[in-house]
Amino acid sequence: MYEEKISAALASYEKLLREQLERNEKIKETKEFVDYSTLEKIIIGVCGGDGIGPVITSEAAKVLEFLLKKDVEAGKIEFRNIEGLTIENRIAKMQPIPDDVMEELKKCHVILKGPTTTPQAGDGLPNIESANVAMRKALDLFANLRPVRIPEEGIDWTFFRENTEGAYAVGSKGVNVTDELALDFVVTTTEGTERIARLAYNYAKNNKKDRVSIIQKANVIKTTDGKFLNICREISKDYPEITTDEWYIDICTAKLIDKKRRTDFKVFVLPNLYGDIITDEAAEFQGGVGTAGSANIGKRYAMFEAIHGSAPRMVKEGRAQYADPCSMLRAAAMLLSHIGYIEESVNLDKALDICMADESMKITGRDDGCSCTDFGNFVMDTLVKITNSDKEMI
Ligand code: IPM
Ligand code: MG
């Protein structure tokens, strides 16, 4: 009685298999990362997004423009404002990223992207894919780097979340086989796992981190998580100086709360969905998701964003102007270091550390705290002071 439905589901499944096999082949084509130092000009695209996105992104863009002013004038850096990555425009075009926006994005080298609203089942919005997820896939941004640092508690974590596979690879292409049976798919490829594992281990090696933890649930999700674990183990053999340990995602989530154990963790490598969930938890220790930036790195492109969403509730309650810009400012610092502006990146992080610790300028998300613009100005003033004192030292 189900024959027709099974045939229809199989047809969808076959299409997914073909797409994923092709994707795995394509990964092999691009071997090397862009070397920004060899480019005549680096183009930085800025997309405000929607919800609180434009408010917090503009503070980060201002800081970047200040820090890169000399090189903009010398023609070595160009900023491009990219409009149209809003939920309204995406719904009007019925595309996660409208074609004209994508065309502009592809002309850039790196992108600073504000949060964008993601429709979910039952909210009345059309079922379009998240713009983040679509951008990560379209630009093949396979590594999502999410640092969490609380020096006074000995926490120095860097998460290497695989960013194009796992439960996300075909997350909006699951199959409702019948009214009563729905199936989603999890994808792990050899190429996709090798490149994230390699990046995590190289990062550990280059930054003198002595431990990499492979996080998965290979005891239950045996095929895809099993493959992820096995490949990471293989790569780990090339780094004998680094201790590798293995944790199931559930106990790892618990151990992040264990004050005695959690300082052992340094670098984590993990599949997409686990990385999504645990990095929100980790950011909470540092002061909340509003304080956490992330880098989405690929071989040709890179995109920098907050780890959180567009906070439609804040907008609805008229509180957008009190949103915390720290996540986007941290993302901007990661962008700077990614394109080789190390000193500027360090100074921005320094300014943020000072401003975030200052009790007189607290961001609360409400009118009892300071506004996003006031905080942005505070960071800018602090940065000017740091930059000037650097100059005096020379
Ligand atoms: C993130 C976000 C996104 C994700 C959402 C907005 C689709 O939660 O960047 O962590 O799940 O990856
Ligand atoms: Mg998330």
Side-chain angles (χ1 to χ4, degrees), residues 118 130 132-133 136 144 146 161 168 276 280 305-307:
T118 304
S130 133
N132 310 26
V133 174
R136 291 166 188 165
N144 195 326
R146 299 187 159 183
R161 165 187 178 189
Y168 282 62
D276 174 49
D280 272 15
E305 62 179 350
I307 77 160

Side-chain angles (χ1 to χ4, degrees), residues 176 268-269 306 359 386:
N176 282 301
F268 301 76
V269 59
E359 288 299 324
I386 293 175

Side-chain angles (χ1 to χ4, degrees), residues 261-300:
R261 279 311 302 267
R262 67 182 179 189
T263 50
D264 292 346
F265 290 118
K266 295 284 171 325
V267 174
F268 301 76
V269 59
L270 66 183
N272 211 336
L273 182 59
Y274 308 144
D276 174 49
I277 296 167
I278 206 169
T279 54
D280 272 15
E281 184 201 10
E284 199 63 26
F285 298 122
Q286 178 187 267
V289 291
T291 64
S294 88
N296 296 263
I297 310 283
K299 295 205 166 158
R300 164 67 180 83

Side-chain angles (χ1 to χ4, degrees), residues 20 35 55 97 106 129 155 170 175-176 185 204 217 232 247 249 264 266 273 289 300 311-313 319 338 351 374 384:
Q20 292 305 308
D35 178 356
V55 185
I97 300 179
K106 286 191 170 165
E129 191 178 34
I155 291 178
V170 288
V175 180
N176 282 301
F185 306 102
K217 188 75 186 173
C232 291
W247 292 83
I249 179 65
D264 292 346
K266 295 284 171 325
L273 182 59
V289 291
R300 164 67 180 83
R313 191 176 319 152
R319 297 187 284 118
H338 185 71
D374 286 346
V384 171

Side-chain angles (χ1 to χ4, degrees), residues 192-251:
T193 310
E194 277 177 2
R195 61 185 183 174
I196 185 75
R198 185 72 65 196
L199 203 68
Y201 276 94
N202 281 342
Y203 171 86
K205 186 175 170 183
N206 296 337
N207 292 278
K208 312 232 167 340
K209 313 276 180 200
D210 56 5
R211 183 183 297 269
V212 173
S213 305
I214 309 170
I215 313 300
Q216 25 61 47
K217 188 75 186 173
N219 52 339
V220 176
I221 316 295
K222 292 187 187 287
T223 310
T224 46
D225 277 14
K227 184 174 179 69
F228 188 90
L229 173 59
N230 281 334
I231 291 175
C232 291
R233 277 182 185 157
E234 275 308 306
I235 301 277
S236 77
K237 291 183 187 154
D238 293 343
Y239 302 82
E241 71 282 18
I242 295 170
T243 305
T244 292
D245 57 17
E246 299 169 8
W247 292 83
Y248 296 136
I249 179 65
D250 48 353
I251 187 63

